[in-house]
Amino acid sequence: MRAACSIAALLIGVSAQAAELPSYPFVSTTGKAQAWMAPDLGELQFETGAQHTSAEAARAALDELSATVAGLLTEHGIVASDVDSAELAKKSVTLSAPAADGATTAIVLTRHFRVQVRDLARWPGLIAALLATEHVDSLGVSFDRSDSDQLNRDLMTQAAQDARNNGTLLARSFGRKLGPAMAIARAPLDKLSAPFIAQTSGGEAPPRAPATPNYAVPPSIPFAQSVTAMFRLQ
């Protein structure tokens, strides 16, 4: 009796899956395209901070440090419109030992900076200057290209063609012809369940650029696109 119930449950599950399938013969494929290109843009993100038993003194110290950072960025060719900064946090901390004025707590202020670097020839000097500046912490870097939108559009076109080519070869292997695309997605066609459609991810991240020492500009960075498509078979 238990085996019969298990078989019945399995048949119900299969029927539920099959009900979601199109009524026409189809094939689903994934196409991918990738390119490694030299970056021409960089982004820096870092934090500055100040601590004092007086909130006013902490504010003055943070403003002074921020002015120093702004001057450093200007010296390295960064214009004001390419700098975003905002106060990140204000908190009270307990001191491990009383301060000279007897205070047992202090105010900590931090500010977050995001800087676009459009001339990568200035990158090494700017990085060195920031690393040498006190109270500049949590330095993070990333790179991009000024034509990344067009590059990704071109890769999407190539990925779509790759999906069609894969579908054509697969259909031909079974003596069929590839018809029009009936569904297209950058992510998997998850409304059709496995094993009828392979669940390959269309939104996977491109391969990561190799790490470079001392925040150096990498020789190239990856771009990738993928497409999942369902074609009618003829």
Side-chain angles (χ1 to χ4, degrees), residues 195-231:
F196 304 105
I197 288 193
Q199 297 297 305
T200 53
S201 173
E204 61 190 27
R208 299 180 64 181
T212 55
N214 301 321
Y215 306 99
V217 178
S220 62
I221 55 176
F223 295 86
Q225 294 290 334
S226 61
V227 175
T228 300
M230 185 176 69
F231 299 94

PDB file of all heavy atoms in Angstrom, residues 195-231:
ATOM      1  N   PRO A 195      13.580  17.666 -15.698  1.00  0.00           N
ATOM      2  CA  PRO A 195      14.706  17.566 -16.621  1.00  0.00           C
ATOM      3  C   PRO A 195      14.393  18.042 -18.027  1.00  0.00           C
ATOM      4  O   PRO A 195      15.174  17.829 -18.936  1.00  0.00           O
ATOM      5  CB  PRO A 195      14.968  16.046 -16.632  1.00  0.00           C
ATOM      6  CG  PRO A 195      13.582  15.486 -16.486  1.00  0.00           C
ATOM      7  CD  PRO A 195      12.849  16.408 -15.572  1.00  0.00           C
ATOM      8  N   PHE A 196      13.240  18.691 -18.239  1.00  0.00           N
ATOM      9  CA  PHE A 196      12.852  19.077 -19.589  1.00  0.00           C
ATOM     10  C   PHE A 196      13.704  20.230 -20.109  1.00  0.00           C
ATOM     11  O   PHE A 196      13.972  20.339 -21.297  1.00  0.00           O
ATOM     12  CB  PHE A 196      11.368  19.457 -19.612  1.00  0.00           C
ATOM     13  CG  PHE A 196      10.493  18.351 -19.104  1.00  0.00           C
ATOM     14  CD1 PHE A 196       9.907  18.407 -17.848  1.00  0.00           C
ATOM     15  CD2 PHE A 196      10.284  17.221 -19.879  1.00  0.00           C
ATOM     16  CE1 PHE A 196       9.122  17.379 -17.387  1.00  0.00           C
ATOM     17  CE2 PHE A 196       9.485  16.188 -19.421  1.00  0.00           C
ATOM     18  CZ  PHE A 196       8.904  16.263 -18.168  1.00  0.00           C
ATOM     19  N   ILE A 197      14.104  21.127 -19.201  1.00  0.00           N
ATOM     20  CA  ILE A 197      14.956  22.252 -19.595  1.00  0.00           C
ATOM     21  C   ILE A 197      16.105  22.346 -18.609  1.00  0.00           C
ATOM     22  O   ILE A 197      15.900  22.357 -17.394  1.00  0.00           O
ATOM     23  CB  ILE A 197      14.161  23.569 -19.612  1.00  0.00           C
ATOM     24  CG1 ILE A 197      13.207  23.555 -20.805  1.00  0.00           C
ATOM     25  CG2 ILE A 197      15.079  24.754 -19.662  1.00  0.00           C
ATOM     26  CD1 ILE A 197      12.594  24.874 -21.116  1.00  0.00           C
ATOM     27  N   ALA A 198      17.308  22.421 -19.151  1.00  0.00           N
ATOM     28  CA  ALA A 198      18.481  22.519 -18.289  1.00  0.00           C
ATOM     29  C   ALA A 198      18.477  23.864 -17.574  1.00  0.00           C
ATOM     30  O   ALA A 198      18.268  24.901 -18.190  1.00  0.00           O
ATOM     31  CB  ALA A 198      19.756  22.373 -19.130  1.00  0.00           C
ATOM     32  N   GLN A 199      18.716  23.823 -16.272  1.00  0.00           N
ATOM     33  CA  GLN A 199      18.682  25.046 -15.484  1.00  0.00           C
ATOM     34  C   GLN A 199      20.073  25.673 -15.417  1.00  0.00           C
ATOM     35  O   GLN A 199      20.730  25.687 -14.385  1.00  0.00           O
ATOM     36  CB  GLN A 199      18.152  24.738 -14.077  1.00  0.00           C
ATOM     37  CG  GLN A 199      16.729  24.226 -14.079  1.00  0.00           C
ATOM     38  CD  GLN A 199      15.762  25.259 -14.621  1.00  0.00           C
ATOM     39  OE1 GLN A 199      15.711  26.376 -14.128  1.00  0.00           O
ATOM     40  NE2 GLN A 199      15.010  24.893 -15.647  1.00  0.00           N
ATOM     41  N   THR A 200      20.538  26.191 -16.524  1.00  0.00           N
ATOM     42  CA  THR A 200      21.822  26.883 -16.556  1.00  0.00           C
ATOM     43  C   THR A 200      21.593  28.346 -16.290  1.00  0.00           C
ATOM     44  O   THR A 200      20.672  28.952 -16.811  1.00  0.00           O
ATOM     45  CB  THR A 200      22.502  26.718 -17.926  1.00  0.00           C
ATOM     46  OG1 THR A 200      21.567  27.116 -18.937  1.00  0.00           O
ATOM     47  CG2 THR A 200      22.909  25.276 -18.157  1.00  0.00           C
ATOM     48  N   SER A 201      22.436  28.943 -15.483  1.00  0.00           N
ATOM     49  CA  SER A 201      22.219  30.323 -15.054  1.00  0.00           C
ATOM     50  C   SER A 201      22.587  31.295 -16.146  1.00  0.00           C
ATOM     51  O   SER A 201      23.683  31.268 -16.693  1.00  0.00           O
ATOM     52  CB  SER A 201      23.059  30.606 -13.800  1.00  0.00           C
ATOM     53  OG  SER A 201      22.982  31.962 -13.465  1.00  0.00           O
ATOM     54  N   GLY A 202      21.650  32.214 -16.447  1.00  0.00           N
ATOM     55  CA  GLY A 202      21.948  33.263 -17.419  1.00  0.00           C
ATOM     56  C   GLY A 202      22.437  34.526 -16.748  1.00  0.00           C
ATOM     57  O   GLY A 202      22.846  35.467 -17.405  1.00  0.00           O
ATOM     58  N   GLY A 203      22.394  34.597 -15.394  1.00  0.00           N
ATOM     59  CA  GLY A 203      22.801  35.802 -14.718  1.00  0.00           C
ATOM     60  C   GLY A 203      24.092  35.633 -13.951  1.00  0.00           C
ATOM     61  O   GLY A 203      24.376  36.384 -13.030  1.00  0.00           O
ATOM     62  N   GLU A 204      24.876  34.648 -14.306  1.00  0.00           N
ATOM     63  CA  GLU A 204      26.103  34.374 -13.566  1.00  0.00           C
ATOM     64  C   GLU A 204      27.104  35.504 -13.773  1.00  0.00           C
ATOM     65  O   GLU A 204      27.134  36.167 -14.803  1.00  0.00           O
ATOM     66  CB  GLU A 204      26.698  33.041 -14.013  1.00  0.00           C
ATOM     67  CG  GLU A 204      27.081  32.986 -15.481  1.00  0.00           C
ATOM     68  CD  GLU A 204      27.440  31.589 -15.930  1.00  0.00           C
ATOM     69  OE1 GLU A 204      26.932  30.628 -15.322  1.00  0.00           O
ATOM     70  OE2 GLU A 204      28.218  31.470 -16.881  1.00  0.00           O
ATOM     71  N   ALA A 205      27.911  35.740 -12.751  1.00  0.00           N
ATOM     72  CA  ALA A 205      28.880  36.821 -12.819  1.00  0.00           C
ATOM     73  C   ALA A 205      30.020  36.462 -13.769  1.00  0.00           C
ATOM     74  O   ALA A 205      30.359  35.290 -13.923  1.00  0.00           O
ATOM     75  CB  ALA A 205      29.440  37.088 -11.419  1.00  0.00           C
ATOM     76  N   PRO A 206      30.604  37.474 -14.427  1.00  0.00           N
ATOM     77  CA  PRO A 206      31.743  37.181 -15.286  1.00  0.00           C
ATOM     78  C   PRO A 206      32.923  36.717 -14.450  1.00  0.00           C
ATOM     79  O   PRO A 206      32.971  36.953 -13.234  1.00  0.00           O
ATOM     80  CB  PRO A 206      32.036  38.539 -15.941  1.00  0.00           C
ATOM     81  CG  PRO A 206      31.460  39.552 -15.015  1.00  0.00           C
ATOM     82  CD  PRO A 206      30.261  38.894 -14.395  1.00  0.00           C
ATOM     83  N   PRO A 207      33.888  36.025 -15.057  1.00  0.00           N
ATOM     84  CA  PRO A 207      35.063  35.593 -14.304  1.00  0.00           C
ATOM     85  C   PRO A 207      35.777  36.780 -13.686  1.00  0.00           C
ATOM     86  O   PRO A 207      35.804  37.869 -14.264  1.00  0.00           O
ATOM     87  CB  PRO A 207      35.930  34.899 -15.365  1.00  0.00           C
ATOM     88  CG  PRO A 207      35.409  35.391 -16.678  1.00  0.00           C
ATOM     89  CD  PRO A 207      33.962  35.657 -16.478  1.00  0.00           C
ATOM     90  N   ARG A 208      36.327  36.582 -12.520  1.00  0.00           N
ATOM     91  CA  ARG A 208      36.971  37.685 -11.810  1.00  0.00           C
ATOM     92  C   ARG A 208      38.351  37.965 -12.381  1.00  0.00           C
ATOM     93  O   ARG A 208      39.083  37.059 -12.765  1.00  0.00           O
ATOM     94  CB  ARG A 208      37.082  37.346 -10.326  1.00  0.00           C
ATOM     95  CG  ARG A 208      35.735  37.130  -9.662  1.00  0.00           C
ATOM     96  CD  ARG A 208      35.880  36.796  -8.206  1.00  0.00           C
ATOM     97  NE  ARG A 208      36.476  37.894  -7.464  1.00  0.00           N
ATOM     98  CZ  ARG A 208      36.734  37.857  -6.153  1.00  0.00           C
ATOM     99  NH1 ARG A 208      36.459  36.753  -5.484  1.00  0.00           N
ATOM    100  NH2 ARG A 208      37.264  38.887  -5.539  1.00  0.00           N
ATOM    101  N   ALA A 209      38.687  39.251 -12.418  1.00  0.00           N
ATOM    102  CA  ALA A 209      40.023  39.636 -12.861  1.00  0.00           C
ATOM    103  C   ALA A 209      41.048  39.163 -11.830  1.00  0.00           C
ATOM    104  O   ALA A 209      40.767  39.143 -10.631  1.00  0.00           O
ATOM    105  CB  ALA A 209      40.111  41.150 -13.028  1.00  0.00           C
ATOM    106  N   PRO A 210      42.219  38.752 -12.277  1.00  0.00           N
ATOM    107  CA  PRO A 210      43.240  38.318 -11.317  1.00  0.00           C
ATOM    108  C   PRO A 210      43.645  39.453 -10.388  1.00  0.00           C
ATOM    109  O   PRO A 210      43.650  40.615 -10.774  1.00  0.00           O
ATOM    110  CB  PRO A 210      44.409  37.892 -12.233  1.00  0.00           C
ATOM    111  CG  PRO A 210      44.165  38.603 -13.528  1.00  0.00           C
ATOM    112  CD  PRO A 210      42.684  38.705 -13.668  1.00  0.00           C
ATOM    113  N   ALA A 211      43.939  39.084  -9.158  1.00  0.00           N
ATOM    114  CA  ALA A 211      44.349  40.086  -8.177  1.00  0.00           C
ATOM    115  C   ALA A 211      45.676  40.727  -8.590  1.00  0.00           C
ATOM    116  O   ALA A 211      46.545  40.084  -9.166  1.00  0.00           O
ATOM    117  CB  ALA A 211      44.489  39.432  -6.805  1.00  0.00           C
ATOM    118  N   THR A 212      45.785  42.016  -8.301  1.00  0.00           N
ATOM    119  CA  THR A 212      47.024  42.733  -8.611  1.00  0.00           C
ATOM    120  C   THR A 212      47.603  43.290  -7.318  1.00  0.00           C
ATOM    121  O   THR A 212      46.861  43.675  -6.419  1.00  0.00           O
ATOM    122  CB  THR A 212      46.761  43.879  -9.601  1.00  0.00           C
ATOM    123  OG1 THR A 212      45.727  44.731  -9.056  1.00  0.00           O
ATOM    124  CG2 THR A 212      46.302  43.358 -10.946  1.00  0.00           C
ATOM    125  N   PRO A 213      48.930  43.342  -7.210  1.00  0.00           N
ATOM    126  CA  PRO A 213      49.546  43.815  -5.971  1.00  0.00           C
ATOM    127  C   PRO A 213      49.410  45.318  -5.799  1.00  0.00           C
ATOM    128  O   PRO A 213      49.381  46.078  -6.773  1.00  0.00           O
ATOM    129  CB  PRO A 213      51.016  43.406  -6.145  1.00  0.00           C
ATOM    130  CG  PRO A 213      51.221  43.396  -7.636  1.00  0.00           C
ATOM    131  CD  PRO A 213      49.913  42.924  -8.217  1.00  0.00           C
ATOM    132  N   ASN A 214      49.291  45.760  -4.549  1.00  0.00           N
ATOM    133  CA  ASN A 214      49.301  47.183  -4.222  1.00  0.00           C
ATOM    134  C   ASN A 214      48.246  47.974  -4.977  1.00  0.00           C
ATOM    135  O   ASN A 214      48.478  49.113  -5.393  1.00  0.00           O
ATOM    136  CB  ASN A 214      50.688  47.783  -4.484  1.00  0.00           C
ATOM    137  CG  ASN A 214      51.766  47.097  -3.679  1.00  0.00           C
ATOM    138  OD1 ASN A 214      51.557  46.741  -2.523  1.00  0.00           O
ATOM    139  ND2 ASN A 214      52.925  46.887  -4.281  1.00  0.00           N
ATOM    140  N   TYR A 215      47.091  47.371  -5.187  1.00  0.00           N
ATOM    141  CA  TYR A 215      45.965  48.052  -5.838  1.00  0.00           C
ATOM    142  C   TYR A 215      46.310  48.495  -7.262  1.00  0.00           C
ATOM    143  O   TYR A 215      45.758  49.476  -7.762  1.00  0.00           O
ATOM    144  CB  TYR A 215      45.514  49.264  -5.024  1.00  0.00           C
ATOM    145  CG  TYR A 215      45.186  48.945  -3.579  1.00  0.00           C
ATOM    146  CD1 TYR A 215      46.106  49.194  -2.557  1.00  0.00           C
ATOM    147  CD2 TYR A 215      43.963  48.397  -3.233  1.00  0.00           C
ATOM    148  CE1 TYR A 215      45.805  48.905  -1.233  1.00  0.00           C
ATOM    149  CE2 TYR A 215      43.648  48.109  -1.919  1.00  0.00           C
ATOM    150  CZ  TYR A 215      44.575  48.363  -0.924  1.00  0.00           C
ATOM    151  OH  TYR A 215      44.269  48.073   0.379  1.00  0.00           O
ATOM    152  N   ALA A 216      47.189  47.797  -7.937  1.00  0.00           N
ATOM    153  CA  ALA A 216      47.611  48.186  -9.283  1.00  0.00           C
ATOM    154  C   ALA A 216      46.488  47.989 -10.291  1.00  0.00           C
ATOM    155  O   ALA A 216      45.569  47.192 -10.090  1.00  0.00           O
ATOM    156  CB  ALA A 216      48.837  47.371  -9.702  1.00  0.00           C
ATOM    157  N   VAL A 217      46.561  48.720 -11.392  1.00  0.00           N
ATOM    158  CA  VAL A 217      45.584  48.585 -12.468  1.00  0.00           C
ATOM    159  C   VAL A 217      45.805  47.247 -13.169  1.00  0.00           C
ATOM    160  O   VAL A 217      46.913  46.963 -13.623  1.00  0.00           O
ATOM    161  CB  VAL A 217      45.729  49.733 -13.487  1.00  0.00           C
ATOM    162  CG1 VAL A 217      44.722  49.556 -14.633  1.00  0.00           C
ATOM    163  CG2 VAL A 217      45.532  51.079 -12.807  1.00  0.00           C
ATOM    164  N   PRO A 218      44.791  46.403 -13.279  1.00  0.00           N
ATOM    165  CA  PRO A 218      44.976  45.109 -13.955  1.00  0.00           C
ATOM    166  C   PRO A 218      45.125  45.313 -15.460  1.00  0.00           C
ATOM    167  O   PRO A 218      44.593  46.276 -16.023  1.00  0.00           O
ATOM    168  CB  PRO A 218      43.680  44.357 -13.625  1.00  0.00           C
ATOM    169  CG  PRO A 218      42.672  45.431 -13.420  1.00  0.00           C
ATOM    170  CD  PRO A 218      43.421  46.575 -12.774  1.00  0.00           C
ATOM    171  N   PRO A 219      45.826  44.425 -16.137  1.00  0.00           N
ATOM    172  CA  PRO A 219      45.991  44.571 -17.589  1.00  0.00           C
ATOM    173  C   PRO A 219      44.680  44.416 -18.338  1.00  0.00           C
ATOM    174  O   PRO A 219      44.509  44.983 -19.423  1.00  0.00           O
ATOM    175  CB  PRO A 219      46.978  43.455 -17.953  1.00  0.00           C
ATOM    176  CG  PRO A 219      46.873  42.468 -16.837  1.00  0.00           C
ATOM    177  CD  PRO A 219      46.572  43.262 -15.607  1.00  0.00           C
ATOM    178  N   SER A 220      43.725  43.648 -17.790  1.00  0.00           N
ATOM    179  CA  SER A 220      42.426  43.480 -18.437  1.00  0.00           C
ATOM    180  C   SER A 220      41.393  43.085 -17.390  1.00  0.00           C
ATOM    181  O   SER A 220      41.738  42.569 -16.321  1.00  0.00           O
ATOM    182  CB  SER A 220      42.493  42.430 -19.546  1.00  0.00           C
ATOM    183  OG  SER A 220      42.847  41.163 -19.019  1.00  0.00           O
ATOM    184  N   ILE A 221      40.133  43.337 -17.707  1.00  0.00           N
ATOM    185  CA  ILE A 221      39.027  42.966 -16.835  1.00  0.00           C
ATOM    186  C   ILE A 221      37.975  42.234 -17.674  1.00  0.00           C
ATOM    187  O   ILE A 221      37.863  42.470 -18.875  1.00  0.00           O
ATOM    188  CB  ILE A 221      38.394  44.194 -16.142  1.00  0.00           C
ATOM    189  CG1 ILE A 221      37.972  45.242 -17.176  1.00  0.00           C
ATOM    190  CG2 ILE A 221      39.353  44.784 -15.128  1.00  0.00           C
ATOM    191  CD1 ILE A 221      37.258  46.440 -16.569  1.00  0.00           C
ATOM    192  N   PRO A 222      37.205  41.328 -17.054  1.00  0.00           N
ATOM    193  CA  PRO A 222      36.264  40.508 -17.829  1.00  0.00           C
ATOM    194  C   PRO A 222      34.893  41.153 -17.978  1.00  0.00           C
ATOM    195  O   PRO A 222      34.403  41.837 -17.083  1.00  0.00           O
ATOM    196  CB  PRO A 222      36.167  39.231 -16.995  1.00  0.00           C
ATOM    197  CG  PRO A 222      36.351  39.711 -15.590  1.00  0.00           C
ATOM    198  CD  PRO A 222      37.318  40.874 -15.651  1.00  0.00           C
ATOM    199  N   PHE A 223      34.293  40.898 -19.117  1.00  0.00           N
ATOM    200  CA  PHE A 223      32.892  41.233 -19.376  1.00  0.00           C
ATOM    201  C   PHE A 223      32.234  39.983 -19.940  1.00  0.00           C
ATOM    202  O   PHE A 223      32.837  39.278 -20.751  1.00  0.00           O
ATOM    203  CB  PHE A 223      32.774  42.380 -20.381  1.00  0.00           C
ATOM    204  CG  PHE A 223      33.323  43.688 -19.885  1.00  0.00           C
ATOM    205  CD1 PHE A 223      34.674  43.978 -20.022  1.00  0.00           C
ATOM    206  CD2 PHE A 223      32.502  44.617 -19.280  1.00  0.00           C
ATOM    207  CE1 PHE A 223      35.197  45.180 -19.557  1.00  0.00           C
ATOM    208  CE2 PHE A 223      33.008  45.823 -18.812  1.00  0.00           C
ATOM    209  CZ  PHE A 223      34.357  46.107 -18.950  1.00  0.00           C
ATOM    210  N   ALA A 224      31.010  39.702 -19.535  1.00  0.00           N
ATOM    211  CA  ALA A 224      30.341  38.489 -20.004  1.00  0.00           C
ATOM    212  C   ALA A 224      28.835  38.686 -20.014  1.00  0.00           C
ATOM    213  O   ALA A 224      28.287  39.421 -19.188  1.00  0.00           O
ATOM    214  CB  ALA A 224      30.712  37.292 -19.120  1.00  0.00           C
ATOM    215  N   GLN A 225      28.188  38.026 -20.967  1.00  0.00           N
ATOM    216  CA  GLN A 225      26.732  38.010 -21.051  1.00  0.00           C
ATOM    217  C   GLN A 225      26.290  36.602 -21.410  1.00  0.00           C
ATOM    218  O   GLN A 225      27.029  35.853 -22.066  1.00  0.00           O
ATOM    219  CB  GLN A 225      26.226  38.991 -22.116  1.00  0.00           C
ATOM    220  CG  GLN A 225      26.489  40.454 -21.806  1.00  0.00           C
ATOM    221  CD  GLN A 225      25.653  40.975 -20.648  1.00  0.00           C
ATOM    222  OE1 GLN A 225      24.568  40.452 -20.361  1.00  0.00           O
ATOM    223  NE2 GLN A 225      26.159  41.988 -19.962  1.00  0.00           N
ATOM    224  N   SER A 226      25.085  36.234 -20.995  1.00  0.00           N
ATOM    225  CA  SER A 226      24.536  34.937 -21.369  1.00  0.00           C
ATOM    226  C   SER A 226      23.029  35.067 -21.594  1.00  0.00           C
ATOM    227  O   SER A 226      22.377  35.950 -21.027  1.00  0.00           O
ATOM    228  CB  SER A 226      24.836  33.870 -20.303  1.00  0.00           C
ATOM    229  OG  SER A 226      24.245  34.233 -19.074  1.00  0.00           O
ATOM    230  N   VAL A 227      22.512  34.195 -22.442  1.00  0.00           N
ATOM    231  CA  VAL A 227      21.101  34.220 -22.820  1.00  0.00           C
ATOM    232  C   VAL A 227      20.575  32.791 -22.812  1.00  0.00           C
ATOM    233  O   VAL A 227      21.257  31.871 -23.284  1.00  0.00           O
ATOM    234  CB  VAL A 227      20.906  34.819 -24.233  1.00  0.00           C
ATOM    235  CG1 VAL A 227      19.446  34.723 -24.656  1.00  0.00           C
ATOM    236  CG2 VAL A 227      21.372  36.264 -24.266  1.00  0.00           C
ATOM    237  N   THR A 228      19.389  32.592 -22.274  1.00  0.00           N
ATOM    238  CA  THR A 228      18.689  31.318 -22.374  1.00  0.00           C
ATOM    239  C   THR A 228      17.484  31.519 -23.286  1.00  0.00           C
ATOM    240  O   THR A 228      16.735  32.489 -23.115  1.00  0.00           O
ATOM    241  CB  THR A 228      18.228  30.822 -20.999  1.00  0.00           C
ATOM    242  OG1 THR A 228      19.365  30.664 -20.155  1.00  0.00           O
ATOM    243  CG2 THR A 228      17.510  29.486 -21.112  1.00  0.00           C
ATOM    244  N   ALA A 229      17.318  30.644 -24.251  1.00  0.00           N
ATOM    245  CA  ALA A 229      16.218  30.791 -25.202  1.00  0.00           C
ATOM    246  C   ALA A 229      15.548  29.448 -25.454  1.00  0.00           C
ATOM    247  O   ALA A 229      16.185  28.393 -25.385  1.00  0.00           O
ATOM    248  CB  ALA A 229      16.738  31.362 -26.525  1.00  0.00           C
ATOM    249  N   MET A 230      14.261  29.498 -25.738  1.00  0.00           N
ATOM    250  CA  MET A 230      13.494  28.312 -26.106  1.00  0.00           C
ATOM    251  C   MET A 230      13.006  28.488 -27.541  1.00  0.00           C
ATOM    252  O   MET A 230      12.374  29.497 -27.870  1.00  0.00           O
ATOM    253  CB  MET A 230      12.311  28.106 -25.186  1.00  0.00           C
ATOM    254  CG  MET A 230      11.545  26.828 -25.426  1.00  0.00           C
ATOM    255  SD  MET A 230      10.220  26.598 -24.215  1.00  0.00           S
ATOM    256  CE  MET A 230       9.110  27.911 -24.704  1.00  0.00           C
ATOM    257  N   PHE A 231      13.343  27.530 -28.409  1.00  0.00           N
ATOM    258  CA  PHE A 231      12.985  27.594 -29.826  1.00  0.00           C
ATOM    259  C   PHE A 231      11.977  26.506 -30.158  1.00  0.00           C
ATOM    260  O   PHE A 231      12.047  25.388 -29.653  1.00  0.00           O
ATOM    261  CB  PHE A 231      14.235  27.393 -30.700  1.00  0.00           C
ATOM    262  CG  PHE A 231      15.303  28.422 -30.503  1.00  0.00           C
ATOM    263  CD1 PHE A 231      16.351  28.203 -29.606  1.00  0.00           C
ATOM    264  CD2 PHE A 231      15.295  29.613 -31.219  1.00  0.00           C
ATOM    265  CE1 PHE A 231      17.348  29.136 -29.413  1.00  0.00           C
ATOM    266  CE2 PHE A 231      16.289  30.561 -31.041  1.00  0.00           C
ATOM    267  CZ  PHE A 231      17.322  30.322 -30.136  1.00  0.00           C
TER     268      PHE A 231
END
